[in-house]
Amino acid sequence: MTHLVFFCGHAGTGKTTLAKKLIGPLMRASATPFCLLDKDTLFGGYSAAAMGMLTGDPNDRDSPLFLQHLRDPEYRGLLDTARDNLELGISALVVGPLSREVRERRLFDRAWLGIGTDVALRVVWIHTSEETAHQRIAERGNPNDAYKLAHWDEYRQRRFVPSGEICKDLVMFDNTAPSRADYEALLAHLVGEPHGSSAMPPVPV
């Protein structure tokens, strides 16, 4: 069985750092090869070239122009790449905000994803406080975040915390200051093992 795991959440929540920390233990626990598909790594260079040509700002990832014309093609390419790997027997850990897709529950729609019931599906919403996210974004100094920081009041309106029916089957993970036990509980859930299973490999902290 292959696995499709989504690490979703707003900027500054530590999605990529968490994915890199867990992918090794995840492969060992599931006995399955995984690829790590990060939206920014896959499409960052292309989008920088496109936005530089269109607006003169290669670091723009939050303006209305980007959101209306490039956001969805980036995500479709991300999902298409994941599906290609799954068809080859390689599980995928997909990293990206995907907030709209979580809100609309598209990531639980196997027909929309183009996957069968033979793929184990997990969706994780990684979150932290707005203040912590803002601090992390400012400290990492990524030029792609310049628009967010300059228009924070506008950007923060797009931040949301899943609740109600949206949370059905959605794994919530507080990435503010997780402990080893928190990492191992998440890992156990991702591979379908009961919490505290001795089969879980140790997670580095």
Side-chain angles (χ1 to χ4, degrees):
M1 173 178 285
T2 51
H3 299 255
L4 177 57
V5 178
F6 289 99
F7 277 8
C8 312
H10 298 300
T13 54
K15 300 181 296 297
T16 299
T17 300
L18 181 63
K20 290 179 177 179
K21 179 185 288 289
L22 288 186
I23 193 166
L26 185 55
M27 285 191 283
R28 293 191 293 274
S30 64
T32 305
F34 267 80
C35 63
L36 174 59
L37 303 177
D38 187 296
K39 183 181 77 72
D40 291 339
T41 301
L42 283 173
F43 296 104
Y46 173 82
S47 293
M51 293 305 292
M53 181 177 65
L54 291 170
T55 69
D57 181 4
N59 301 313
D60 178 0
R61 298 296 185 278
D62 293 281
S63 69
L65 188 148
F66 176 85
L67 295 174
Q68 291 170 14
H69 298 287
L70 290 183
R71 178 199 184 275
D72 288 352
E74 279 195 354
Y75 283 131
R76 178 49 57 190
L78 187 67
L79 296 174
D80 288 345
T81 305
R83 190 168 53 253
D84 282 350
N85 278 274
L86 292 167
E87 290 172 355
L88 295 171
I90 301 169
S91 296
L93 176 51
V94 178
V95 180
L98 290 157
S99 55
R100 185 187 307 166
E101 289 72 16
V102 169
R103 185 185 292 114
E104 297 175 357
R105 293 191 55 79
R106 291 182 179 180
L107 299 185
F108 296 99
D109 184 342
R110 290 178 179 269
W112 186 82
L113 292 171
I115 62 172
T117 56
D118 57 322
V119 177
L121 178 62
R122 295 287 188 275
V123 183
V124 183
W125 181 262
I126 299 164
H127 61 95
T128 188
S129 69
E130 179 182 332
E131 293 75 15
T132 299
H134 186 280
Q135 180 181 350
R136 289 176 178 174
I137 292 171
E139 289 176 349
R140 70 189 181 187
N142 187 329
N144 290 346
D145 294 323
Y147 188 97
K148 292 183 182 70
L149 293 172
H151 302 82
W152 188 259
D153 285 342
E154 172 192 328
Y155 168 71
R156 67 191 300 269
Q157 300 304 314
R158 303 208 311 265
R159 290 176 53 89
F160 81 107
V161 178
S163 61
E165 285 298 311
I166 294 174
C167 290
K168 182 180 179 183
D169 300 320
L170 183 67
V171 181
M172 301 291 290
F173 186 80
D174 187 343
N175 203 28
T176 303
S179 66
R180 183 188 296 273
D182 294 326
Y183 291 130
E184 292 178 350
L186 175 59
L187 179 62
H189 188 89
L190 295 180
V191 296
E193 298 289 345
H195 177 65
S197 169
S198 59
M200 290 299 100
V203 178
V205 293

